[in-house]
């Protein structure tokens, strides 16, 4: 007899994947290409910050918003104010209103001392106030002249800390030189969100290649998650800014989705 476990997780498109096109273009392309939904990267694009406009886009294209990525990047330090807790509260409120199940958040920067000191306890308090999941993302150290600099606190790697939900980013594992499969194994059920991308491990370069074009075990991780009945999100977060044309960008987004669908499929095991 075989036990067939079908993953209930969905495959979404990060709005960052269409840059330099804009947030509305991500909705249009996700709907056209057959993605299950979108993850909103809250950034410099005013549309990404406006919940009312996002609601209209969701309803117009009839494609759900499945996750919200809080504005944690250096270039988004002023988006939704400077207070990092205010950013997370606004991200949570946006997720609740938009029907998204997850807020993706990065570890604090080292210079955000008060925020970093209270990060684990603060997230625990916020989890008690909502059904939205806060999934802390793995980042990477920087290297210069043979030295390693970690700009995050408590660390760039959330695995050994008390975060019940984690985002595993496979472009970031390439930059950090981590064993992505080992990280996924250690996380177990704490792996609540996957940023699917690839990389070859170029120093200090976060490549976000189409999966299958780098050195990361994108396919094996998807197959393992499928076999385990993974219920989290798989989000294509790839870099298409060098696409020579819109048609080339669409080809990359189509290839990425096909890769995910191929490997993130039903798994059957003998019992």
């Amino acid at each position: 007899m075989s036990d067939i476990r079908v993953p209930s997780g969905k495959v979404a498109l990060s709005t960052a994947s269409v840059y330099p096109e804009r947030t509305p273009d991500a909705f249009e392309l996700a709907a056209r290409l057959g993605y299950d939904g979108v993850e909103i990267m809250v950034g410099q694009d005013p549309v990404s910050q406006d919940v009312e406009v996002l609601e209209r886009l969701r309803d117009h294209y009839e494609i759900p918003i499945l996750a919200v990525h809080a504005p944690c990047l250096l270039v988004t330090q002023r988006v939704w104010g400077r207070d990092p807790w205010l950013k997370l509260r606004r991200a949570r409120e946006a997720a609740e209103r938009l029907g998204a199940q997850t807020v993706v958040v990065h570890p604090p920067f080292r210079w955000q001392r008060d925020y970093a000191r209270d990060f684990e306890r603060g997230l625990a308090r916020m989890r008690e106030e909502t059904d939205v999941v806060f999934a802390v993302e793995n980042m990477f150290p920087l290297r210069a002249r043979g030295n390693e600099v970690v700009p995050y606190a408590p660390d760039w790697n959330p695995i050994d800390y008390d975060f019940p939900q984690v985002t595993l980013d496979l472009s970031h594992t390439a930059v950090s030189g981590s064993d992505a499969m080992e990280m996924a194994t250690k996380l177990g059920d704490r792996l609540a969100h996957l940023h699917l991308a690839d990389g070859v491990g170029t120093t200090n370069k976060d490549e976000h290649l189409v999966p299958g074009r780098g050195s990361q075990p994108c396919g094996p991780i998807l197959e393992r998650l499928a076999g385990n009945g993974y219920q989290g999100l798989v989000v294509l977060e790839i870099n298409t800014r060098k696409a020579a044309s819109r048609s080339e960008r669409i080809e990359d987004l189509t290839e990425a989705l096909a890769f995910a669908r191929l490997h993130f499929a039903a798994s059957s095991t003998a019992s």
Side-chain angles (χ1 to χ4, degrees):
M1 179 182 295
S2 65
D3 176 25
I4 299 177
R5 307 184 67 188
V6 181
S8 61
K10 297 180 178 180
V11 180
L13 178 67
S14 169
T15 57
S17 297
V18 306
Y19 184 84
E21 294 191 57
R22 313 285 279 186
T23 302
D25 301 302
F27 278 85
E28 184 250 316
L29 290 173
R32 185 203 302 187
L33 299 178
Y35 282 82
D36 296 319
V38 298
E39 174 175 298
I40 303 298
M41 173 66 80
V42 180
Q44 302 289 354
D45 181 358
V47 172
S48 72
Q49 306 170 28
D50 192 321
V51 175
E52 290 187 3
V53 176
L54 292 172
E55 284 181 314
R56 291 199 294 270
L57 287 168
R58 176 198 63 193
D59 296 344
H60 175 75
Y61 287 105
E62 299 182 335
I63 189 161
I65 296 170
L66 299 174
V68 174
H69 194 309
C72 306
L73 303 173
L74 280 174
V75 296
T76 60
Q77 288 300 290
R78 296 186 180 184
V79 173
W80 285 353
R82 290 180 175 273
D83 181 349
W85 288 117
L86 175 61
K87 292 174 184 284
L88 287 192
R89 286 194 295 273
R90 291 192 63 171
R92 180 195 68 194
E93 291 165 1
E96 290 171 340
R97 182 166 165 183
L98 296 167
Q101 66 189 59
T102 304
V103 168
V104 178
V105 57
H106 292 178
F109 290 111
R110 283 196 171 276
W111 57 83
Q112 297 174 309
R113 295 180 182 177
D114 292 340
Y115 177 48
R117 189 179 303 115
D118 196 41
F119 187 59
E120 291 180 74
R121 293 188 299 271
L123 275 188
R125 290 193 297 269
M126 292 188 72
R127 284 195 297 269
E128 295 174 356
E129 302 170 356
T130 183
D131 292 330
V132 172
V133 167
F134 291 90
V136 182
E137 186 171 359
N138 63 303
M139 299 305 292
F140 48 86
L142 302 175
R143 295 179 176 87
R145 299 178 181 178
N147 297 317
E148 185 174 280
V149 178
V150 179
Y152 302 98
D155 198 3
W156 60 267
N157 187 352
I159 286 183
D160 293 328
Y161 294 87
D162 189 24
F163 302 121
Q165 289 91 21
V166 171
T167 296
L168 181 62
D169 186 300
L170 299 182
S171 177
H172 296 174
T173 57
V175 188
S176 63
S178 305
D179 184 327
M181 188 64 77
E182 181 182 358
M183 290 177 73
T185 300
K186 285 184 177 180
L187 283 170
D189 291 341
R190 294 170 60 210
L191 203 174
H193 200 77
L194 181 70
H195 276 169
L196 181 60
D198 215 331
V200 297
T202 304
T203 301
N204 298 337
K205 188 174 182 181
D206 190 13
E207 296 165 292
H208 285 275
L209 303 177
V210 171
R213 297 184 186 178
S215 61
Q216 297 307 289
C218 298
I221 284 180
L222 286 173
E223 290 160 9
R224 172 179 289 189
L225 292 178
N228 292 338
Y230 177 70
Q231 297 181 9
L233 288 176
V234 173
V235 178
L236 271 301
E237 191 183 68
I238 63 174
N239 184 346
T240 66
R241 69 187 63 188
K242 292 184 179 179
S245 63
R246 193 168 206 251
S247 61
E248 186 174 311
R249 174 169 295 110
I250 290 172
E251 288 174 3
D252 285 348
L253 297 176
T254 301
E255 179 183 333
L257 179 59
F259 184 100
R261 297 285 192 216
L262 174 65
H263 292 280
F264 191 53
S267 175
S268 57
T269 57
S271 62

